[in-house]
Amino acid sequence: MQSRVEQIVIIGTGGTIAGAAGSATDNVGYKAGQLSVASLVAAIPALQAEPLEAEQLAQLDSKDMDHPTWARLARRVQEHLDRPEVRGIVITHGTDTLEETAYLLQRVLAPRKPVVLTAAMRPATAIQADGPQNLLDAVAVVKADGAQGVVAVVAGQVLHGLELRKTHSYRLDAFDAGPDGGLLGVVEEGVLRRFREWPRGEALGASLLPEDAARWPWVEVLASHAGAQARALQAWHTAGVQGVVLACTGNGTVHEALSAPIQALRDAGVPVWRTTRCAQGRIVGAPEEKAAALSPWAARIELTLELLKRTH
């Protein structure tokens, strides 16, 4: 007799893991999101005996991930998590915005069951396709005792949903654990070896995310750099931007040309958060900065969620 809590739901959103190219030796000239998630599962013999459900929620190149898809994904994941027979969720996703989707889902859902995002750096048609092993490893993490929270599994590494960052444009091991984190664990021959605690937190709730794109606040990211000019910030201000994240140089510094438009935004009630554009480290000595330890992309999501809470 089957256990009540054992079903694993695999939700497909597209990405390179479902991509196809005209040649098995072409790892970059492919089109993402061509294969169904059901076909990805069917191509892995080791998964055929598992109690799986495959569901296609989207077929996107993840560079084109959008707010309505995020809202639909969060709601659908929560619906499956609420089913007592579901052990956990696997989401197949593109690598370009994997870290953003993982961050959002952990903050919104903070699930007590595992939600595992996985992806690939090579299309499904490649000689060295990495998607099948990543998907197999993701299922292994869902089945691990005590697993919970949103994590990502890529190249045998298990990464915290609030910390992972894409750090390489081409290699199969394209993700890292962020500047001050570390791997949650590794998957070795189908067995999870865990190093840290699972993600935990307070769920904001999937209902916070509007399915209507027009109801999301407009939050942008601007990098400070040599020769920066005020015009971009001034134009955003005029156009009605509702929040800005600054990807600052070094330890949270910004070009002097940006000082006046930043102050004008703040005087108008538009939040402007600082983070660093550096790959390692955080802004030190600025406890008032809410984004001091976040990547610019995570900070943008965090500010977006804060603005949504104000109108919810």
Side-chain angles (χ1 to χ4, degrees), residues 157-205:
Q157 299 180 327
V158 186
L159 301 124
H160 195 298
L162 298 182
E163 298 172 1
L164 79 148
R165 297 187 185 184
K166 187 173 182 180
T167 56
H168 202 280
S169 61
Y170 182 78
R171 286 195 323 235
L172 300 184
D173 58 336
F175 288 85
D176 202 353
D180 298 314
L183 296 180
L184 267 176
V186 293
V187 182
E188 300 165 333
E189 297 300 315
V191 178
L192 171 67
R193 182 156 60 95
R194 186 162 60 90
F195 309 139
R196 300 172 55 202
E197 293 299 314
W198 296 105
R200 290 178 170 82
E202 180 181 349
L204 298 176

Side-chain angles (χ1 to χ4, degrees), residues 32-57:
Q34 298 302 293
L35 305 180
S36 70
V37 68
S39 69
L40 299 182
V41 172
I44 305 174
L47 291 181
Q48 302 317 301
E50 298 286 354
L52 303 177
E53 298 176 20
E55 175 180 315
Q56 197 74 49
L57 183 129

Side-chain angles (χ1 to χ4, degrees), residues 2-283:
Q2 292 185 337
S3 167
R4 289 184 66 237
V5 184
E6 66 171 7
Q7 200 74 18
I8 299 173
V9 179
I10 302 183
I11 298 176
T13 67
T16 298
I17 194 171
S23 167
T25 59
D26 187 354
N27 293 320
V28 295
Y30 60 87
K31 189 171 183 179
Q34 298 302 293
L35 305 180
S36 70
V37 68
S39 69
L40 299 182
V41 172
I44 305 174
L47 291 181
Q48 302 317 301
E50 298 286 354
L52 303 177
E53 298 176 20
E55 175 180 315
Q56 197 74 49
L57 183 129
Q59 274 288 38
L60 293 173
D61 185 325
S62 80
K63 69 179 178 60
D64 299 320
M65 182 57 69
D66 54 43
H67 292 156
T69 303
W70 268 352
R72 290 192 297 115
L73 179 60
R75 284 173 171 78
R76 193 61 180 142
V77 169
Q78 187 62 66
E79 288 170 2
H80 284 302
L81 292 173
D82 289 342
R83 296 167 54 197
E85 73 275 17
V86 169
R87 184 182 186 105
I89 315 289
V90 172
I91 301 170
T92 59
H93 198 285
T95 61
D96 283 352
T97 55
L98 183 71
E99 64 192 272
E100 297 176 59
T101 298
Y103 189 97
L104 179 87
L105 291 178
Q106 175 59 27
R107 290 289 288 120
V108 170
L109 302 178
R112 297 293 181 255
K113 296 178 182 179
V115 174
V116 182
L117 287 89
T118 194
M121 291 297 291
R122 303 288 182 267
T125 52
I127 291 175
Q128 196 183 14
D130 52 326
Q133 186 65 58
N134 289 342
L135 183 51
L136 190 60
D137 289 347
V139 171
V141 172
V142 169
K143 294 167 61 179
D145 290 341
Q148 72 169 61
V150 178
V151 303
V153 175
V154 183
Q157 299 180 327
V158 186
L159 301 124
H160 195 298
L162 298 182
E163 298 172 1
L164 79 148
R165 297 187 185 184
K166 187 173 182 180
T167 56
H168 202 280
S169 61
Y170 182 78
R171 286 195 323 235
L172 300 184
D173 58 336
F175 288 85
D176 202 353
D180 298 314
L183 296 180
L184 267 176
V186 293
V187 182
E188 300 165 333
E189 297 300 315
V191 178
L192 171 67
R193 182 156 60 95
R194 186 162 60 90
F195 309 139
R196 300 172 55 202
E197 293 299 314
W198 296 105
R200 290 178 170 82
E202 180 181 349
L204 298 176
S207 63
L208 181 66
L209 307 181
E211 292 196 44
D212 180 359
R215 293 177 55 203
W216 284 71
W218 178 21
V219 180
E220 287 288 352
V221 177
L222 181 75
S224 184
H225 53 82
Q229 298 185 32
R231 286 182 290 179
L233 279 179
Q234 291 168 339
W236 286 349
H237 191 175
T238 301
V241 73
Q242 293 163 275
V244 173
V245 172
L246 297 171
C248 300
T249 45
N251 191 40
T253 57
V254 294
H255 196 287
E256 62 179 358
L258 302 179
S259 297
I262 288 171
Q263 190 58 51
L265 284 164
R266 287 176 168 157
D267 290 344
V270 177
V272 180
W273 287 9
R274 287 190 301 150
T275 185
T276 178
R277 72 181 200 184
C278 297
Q280 299 292 325
R282 57 183 291 161
I283 298 176

